[in-house]
């Protein structure tokens, strides 16, 4: 089933459709599932999910909350035709009908990449954490709308030698659980592919297999390791390393901007992981905060190889809109520099607290193609060399103007970490500050005094003779 809501703002009324059986995050931020461009709407304002014939709306601790029947509430249930105010905007439950090939909320125009919500959830959400909607996405790895599949009904059961313990997250094509591998007595993240509706092809299975094979071929501690692939009772699953620190996306939503000193070691780990993939001839194609998992002590791992492709192959417009390189949007040939562009967008989002381009999917993709990223906000105190690396070099529209490879990026990050705001000093250069100015002027003065002294001495000697 598809649910339709209409959102009325000062700019007009717009209809949005979304699958009725999964939660949708509504807000002003570009990483929400349904973006409402209204200043009174919080970055993550509320969530929507259909229960039966009722639309359940939950406030996400927004500034202006929900106003239903003239009362501010934290939760409300809307029948068909019912409405609620979110800030100065009005949201109305407009219709409930059969699924179409593509939800209008996720593909707004022909040149926007077509697809569904993220095919998978991060494998490291803390146990009991709420499901978090991904960035405005255009992933073709999975079906356009999430099929039926596992959910709470697997909790406590055994699947292929794994005891399912708790739900970690849900996505368009898969559900992720915390599970125990019984024979080895270790906890893992178990990703279970959803079952498509009767008669439909399992379109997400090739991407599922591709992720397993790519992860098996790339053994590196900075990449989330896949342990096993199997099926049981008609359900396909992956077991993988359980990372307990959550994703960078969750860190941004919880705490806001990341200080540059804290971000640098995270970026180093991600760049090193990308270097391993590129050396194996693979492009990740979906580098973003949701796929960077935090391990504590400043370390990070890169996850989700479901969209990986061979270097030199042409793009199929799959990826996440907020972090897609121009050549990826245009379905041109890809190489490692495509991932470096996404890394620049990710670093920008971490430093600024938001992706470089916002708005509808159409506006975001146009920004990547035609616009320069805006300067980082003034409150984000960042060394100029780091901002130049992120905005000018990594996010260059032309791949030829980006760093040539991951090794070059690692050298740049090392330089920034070493010198910070000071920049490297030339050999013999004086210290910065007034004392340094005095010391730099002292040399010429001493030289003049020496010349005068030599001259006086010569005159005295000549007169003596």
């Amino acid at each position: 089933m598809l649910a339709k809501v209409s959102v009325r703002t000062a700019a007009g009324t717009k209809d949005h459709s979304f699958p009725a059986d999964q939660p949708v995050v509504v807000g002003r931020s570009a990483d929400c599932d349904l973006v409402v461009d209204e200043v009174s709407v919080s970055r993550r304002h509320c969530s929507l999910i259909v229960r039966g014939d009722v639309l359940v709306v939950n406030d996400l601790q927004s500034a202006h909350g929900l106003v239903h029947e003239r009362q501010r509430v934290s939760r409300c249930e809307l029948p068909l035709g019912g409405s609620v105010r979110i800030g100065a905007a009005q949201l109305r439950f407009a219709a409930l009908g059969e699924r179409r090939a593509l939800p209008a909320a996720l593909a707004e125009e022909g040149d926007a990449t077509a697809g569904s919500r993220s095919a998978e959830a991060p494998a490291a959400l803390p146990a009991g954490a709420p499901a978090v909607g991904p960035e405005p996405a255009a992933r073709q790895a999975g079906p356009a709308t999430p099929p039926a599949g596992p959910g709470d009904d697997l909790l406590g059961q055994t699947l292929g030698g794994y005891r399912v313990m708790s739900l970690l997250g849900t996505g368009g094509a898969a559900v992720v659980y915390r599970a125990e591998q019984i024979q080895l007595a270790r906890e893992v993240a178990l990703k279970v592919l959803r079952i498509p509706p009767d008669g439909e092809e399992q379109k997400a299975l090739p991407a599922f297999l591709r992720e397993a094979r790519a992860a098996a071929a790339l053994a590196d501690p900075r990449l989330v390791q896949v342990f096993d692939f199997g099926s049981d009772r008609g359900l396909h699953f992956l077991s993988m390393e359980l990372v307990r620190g959550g994703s960078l996306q969750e860190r941004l939503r919880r705490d806001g901007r990341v200080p540059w000193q804290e971000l640098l070691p995270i970026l180093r780990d991600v760049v090193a992981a990308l270097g391993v993939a590129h050396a194996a001839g693979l492009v990740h194609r979906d580098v973003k905060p949701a796929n960077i998992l935090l391990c504590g002590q400043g370390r990070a791992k890169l996850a989700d190889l479901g969209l990986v492709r061979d270097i030199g192959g042409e793009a199929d417009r799959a990826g996440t809109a907020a972090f897609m390189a121009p050549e990826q949007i245009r379905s041109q040939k890809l190489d490692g520099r495509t991932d470096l562009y996404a890394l620049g967008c990710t670093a920008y989002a971490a430093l600024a607290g938001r992706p470089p381009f916002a708005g509808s999917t159409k506006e975001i993709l146009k920004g990547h193609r035609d616009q320069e990223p805006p300067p980082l906000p003034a409150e984000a105190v960042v060394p100029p060399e780091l901002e130049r690396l992120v905005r000018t070099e990594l996010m260059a529209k032309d791949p030829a103007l980006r760093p040539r490879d991951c090794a070059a990026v690692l050298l740049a990050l090392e330089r920034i970490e070493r010198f910070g705001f000071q920049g490297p000093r030339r050999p013999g250069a004086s210290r910065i500050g007034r004392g340094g100015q005095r010391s730099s002027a002292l040399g010429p003065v001493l030289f003049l005094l020496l010349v005068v002294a030599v001259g006086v001495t010569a005159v005295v000697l000549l007169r003596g003779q």
Side-chain angles (χ1 to χ4, degrees), residues 47-108:
S47 67
L48 312 176
I49 189 168
V50 174
R51 304 289 188 193
D53 294 332
V54 174
L55 179 67
V56 180
V57 186
N58 285 290
D59 183 40
L60 298 178
Q61 298 182 337
S62 61
H64 298 288
L66 310 175
V67 179
H68 180 52
E69 296 180 350
R70 299 186 180 181
Q71 292 185 351
R72 178 162 177 167
V73 296
S74 60
R75 181 182 185 276
C76 64
E77 297 183 358
L78 303 180
L80 284 173
S83 64
V84 61
R85 296 195 69 83
I86 53 173
Q90 184 186 59
L91 186 150
R92 184 174 66 87
F93 185 18
L96 187 62
E98 294 301 319
R99 285 181 176 170
R100 291 169 292 175
L102 182 66
L106 301 178
E108 298 185 345

Side-chain angles (χ1 to χ4, degrees), residues 253-272:
R253 286 176 170 173
R254 183 181 66 247
D255 303 328
R257 292 186 304 274
V258 179
W260 69 270
Q261 300 94 330
E262 182 182 338
L263 181 64
L264 287 184
I266 295 173
L267 293 179
R268 280 204 311 270
D269 282 343
V270 175
V271 173

Side-chain angles (χ1 to χ4, degrees), residues 387-463:
E387 182 167 1
R388 181 169 60 253
L389 173 66
V390 171
R391 294 181 55 244
T392 305
E393 299 177 25
L394 291 174
M395 294 185 64
K397 306 297 182 186
D398 183 354
L401 300 179
R402 298 174 202 155
R404 66 181 181 277
D405 54 26
C406 290
V409 180
L410 285 173
L411 286 175
L413 293 173
E414 180 183 351
R415 175 187 176 90
I416 293 167
E417 185 174 36
R418 179 180 300 175
F419 299 113
F421 281 96
Q422 297 179 357
R425 293 196 185 100
R426 297 183 302 277
S430 62
R431 292 184 178 274
I432 299 173
R434 292 183 179 179
Q437 292 173 354
R438 287 197 297 269
S439 64
S440 63
L442 189 59
V445 171
L446 290 175
F447 178 75
L448 290 174
L449 290 175
L450 179 62
V451 171
V452 171
V454 171
V456 170
T457 302
V459 171
V460 171
L461 289 175
L462 289 173
R463 285 180 176 179

Side-chain angles (χ1 to χ4, degrees), residues 7-11 26-29 35-46 59-67 72 84-91:
V7 180
R8 188 176 68 189
T9 64
V26 181
R28 195 176 72 251
S29 175
V35 179
V36 179
D37 188 13
E38 161 60 49
V39 69
S40 62
V41 174
S42 296
R43 293 180 65 249
R44 296 182 74 248
H45 200 105
C46 62
D59 183 40
L60 298 178
Q61 298 182 337
S62 61
H64 298 288
L66 310 175
V67 179
R72 178 162 177 167
V84 61
R85 296 195 69 83
I86 53 173
Q90 184 186 59
L91 186 150

Side-chain angles (χ1 to χ4, degrees), residues 313-329:
E314 292 185 359
D316 55 7
R317 285 189 168 187
T320 301
F323 304 93
M324 289 179 71
E327 66 271 20
Q328 195 173 359
I329 298 170

